[in-house]
Amino acid sequence: MSKVTEQIAVKLPDGSSKSLTAGQTGADLAQSISQGLYRKSVGLMLNGELRDLFTPLKDGDTVRILTPDDPEAIELLRHTTAHVMAQAVQKLFPNAKIAIGPTIQDGFYYDFDIADHTLNPDDLIAIEAEMKKIAEANQKLVRFDIPDVDQQLGDFKNAGERFKAELLEEHRHHNPTLYLMQDKEGKTIWNDFCRGPHLPSTNHIKAFKLLRVSGSYWRGDEHKDRLQRIYATSFWHKKDLEAYLQRLEEAEKRDHRRLAKQLDLFSTHDEVGAGLIFWHPNLATVRDTIENYWRLEHKRRGYQFVYTPHIANEELYRISGHLENYGENMYSPMDIDGQPYRAKPMNCPGHIMIYKSKLRSYRDLPIRMAELGTVYRYERSGVLHGMLRVRGFTQDDSHIFCTPEQLEGEIEGILDLIDSLMTTFGYKYKAYLATRPEGSTMGTDEEWEMATSALEGAMKKRNMDYEVDEGGGAFYAPKIDVKLFDAIGREWQGPTVQVDLTLPNRFDVNYIGEDGHKHKVIMVHRAVLGSMERFCGGLIEHYAGAFPLWLAPTQVVVLPISDRHLERAQEITRMMQDLDMRVRLDARSETVNYRIREAQVEQIPYMVVIGDKELENNVVALRHRRKGNLGVLSAEDLIARLKEEIETKQGNDPEESNSSN
């Protein structure tokens, strides 16, 4: 009697179903649809999860075959290329031990412990060459379920792979797997402890580049093993890799740390400590201009400015929940009169203290408090990065205290302010609704639902495009996160808006309603610029150091060609100074061409040149740092032109942000 073959049915993206034999894989499904799809297939989206192409399918599964045209597939390519890189490293450096190798935005990295050798640029060239051989050998990647964890632990330890052993021990009850890389005869050449998924073979790997080496620590802990990290990237096509490398080159030119030295913007000092920024006069001028603009826009919208102390008794942060939920990012307590005090990590408890200083009525609400408040948070040394990741920073922090009826309108007002400011700075942006995270959070389900609904409702009323970031909220509140896109398309963390019902409960923050009874106030946390450090660091890169006229540290330099033109140059300079323009007179003996070139290197927007012809005709010659000679005009017309550009906060032309000019 013949055995009946079990049949299963899987669902396809178009809503149809496909019948298969039990045990058949995604590859079998692709082949049953068409040979063309099978040849291009590289993986699966199985019930919404990324999986290997050869994963067995079950009855009722929802399956989408992935090809290189699908955006999800790049994860498979880069994860697999990371394994190829690790195999190549261990081939060239047999004593190398591997740690972890995850994909990251635009690429991947792998951490290695290589005794007695520091990787250098020549090593990267050799590793790339070995990777090319592995890719061309068309090695197969085979998922292998570990049948005996203890035996595999012994194998890892005998091979000196202590990092693999630690990870396997940690995941021994999570159905651990190895990925075997096998040659055409099925012989295993290399393996790694990994959950996958991966490409079916290495011949899909065509365009990759090892980018740089940096130091790292095992598990990101500076108290554990020091490792070497190779950063790399991989693309399906060579043209995409070349375009990415060009973007990297442009990003390197814009690096705010490099431009800080060229333009004398900021510094850090080992004697003071990492992650603490010293603002030099040039960048301090930019910051001051931004802060003045920020204050003006907030005054127009009914905000009141406050100042709060930099330290507070630890009890304040025990009440707020920061000690419990944020303690690892706070600095150790200092003893003051026998009491533990902390450097403030947040401004919100201080604003609550101001609100609670007297009884508030519903007629007083909303109250909008704003502070450029400096806070201090511990960041591990390995993640500190110029002005973009620091330990002390000033937030444009504001808190709105309102009634439930006012909440959605207040959020709309914040979103309007965000749009106004970001447009002025020349940023395009995208919004994300970050919902309740898993694990320990404050507040009830009802409170989280109400707060999330208000945020989403305000965005919908403004017809904003947004995505939902599931679980991305803070421990005390859902939020709107706004990501900014700079001149070369990179994404930056920008404004954030959070609705908080938890801190009002913890601090018993109330108002007297129309009924004469106490009601809990609703608190909205918001930062529009974020931190001044990160925002200004991002602006440096966004503008490639060429700040628009209204922000430029020095807006105009006046250049008399010789001493006989000096008196007129001084007169023009005073006219501009009287209008609060940031102008500098450069009457040095160097040639005017030399002084023009120096002003261009300093990214000064305009140069005013005065020579014999200009003096004779009572005009000036105007030059732009990028566009060159703009012709002659009267002093009055010059002043009017510059004044209008400053007052309207005109941005740069697109060519201005091209740092290669």
Side-chain angles (χ1 to χ4, degrees), residues 125-140:
I125 294 172
I127 295 167
E128 279 189 2
E130 186 62 32
M131 290 173 65
K132 186 176 180 181
K133 293 178 184 177
I134 295 170
E136 291 175 346
N138 195 20
Q139 292 184 10
K140 301 293 186 289

Side-chain angles (χ1 to χ4, degrees), residues 103 146 430:
T103 58
I146 298 174
K430 185 172 184 178

Side-chain angles (χ1 to χ4, degrees), residues 7 19 26 74 96 103 142 150-151 153 159 178 194 201 235 253 276 280 283 291 371 386 418 439 498 541:
Q7 294 293 300
S19 180
I74 197 71
T103 58
V142 178
D150 290 321
Q151 180 180 329
L153 280 171
L178 296 178
C194 181
S201 65
F235 289 86
K253 293 176 184 176
L276 301 171
H280 294 198
L283 193 59
E291 289 182 354
E371 177 182 13
I418 288 171
Q498 303 170 358
E541 301 200 4

